[in-house]
Amino acid sequence: MSDFNLARLKAERIARGYSQQKFARALGVSYVTYNQKENGKKPISIDQFVKILEILKIPDNEINIFFYS
């Protein structure tokens, strides 16, 4: 089973110059909601994960960077 790597999500967001607030807007959620997702307090849906990949411009063949095995 694989688990989502929230630290990698944060690192990729920061590396691309997004604050949590700016990223939340791009994702279409409130800052509070995004903060809760990035900190593991709320789940990230499949649809949101796909949007995250689009925002961060992560190619399909690199999505494994977000998962522990």
Side-chain angles (χ1 to χ4, degrees), residues 4-62:
F4 196 77
N5 184 342
L6 293 168
R8 185 61 186 252
L9 172 59
K10 181 178 180 178
E12 295 295 329
R13 174 183 59 75
I14 291 170
R16 285 164 176 78
Y18 283 96
S19 66
Q20 280 191 336
Q21 190 162 13
K22 184 178 173 185
F23 200 76
R25 275 194 303 268
L27 192 56
V29 299
S30 72
Y31 163 77
V32 171
T33 297
Y34 180 74
N35 179 276
Q36 290 172 334
K37 290 177 182 292
E38 190 175 275
N39 289 299
K41 295 177 182 169
K42 283 191 172 185
I44 296 171
S45 72
I46 297 292
D47 291 339
Q48 289 170 338
F49 181 59
V50 169
K51 179 101 176 173
I52 287 167
L53 296 174
E54 291 171 2
I55 295 166
L56 297 176
K57 296 180 175 42
I58 305 289
D60 292 345
N61 64 338
E62 293 181 21

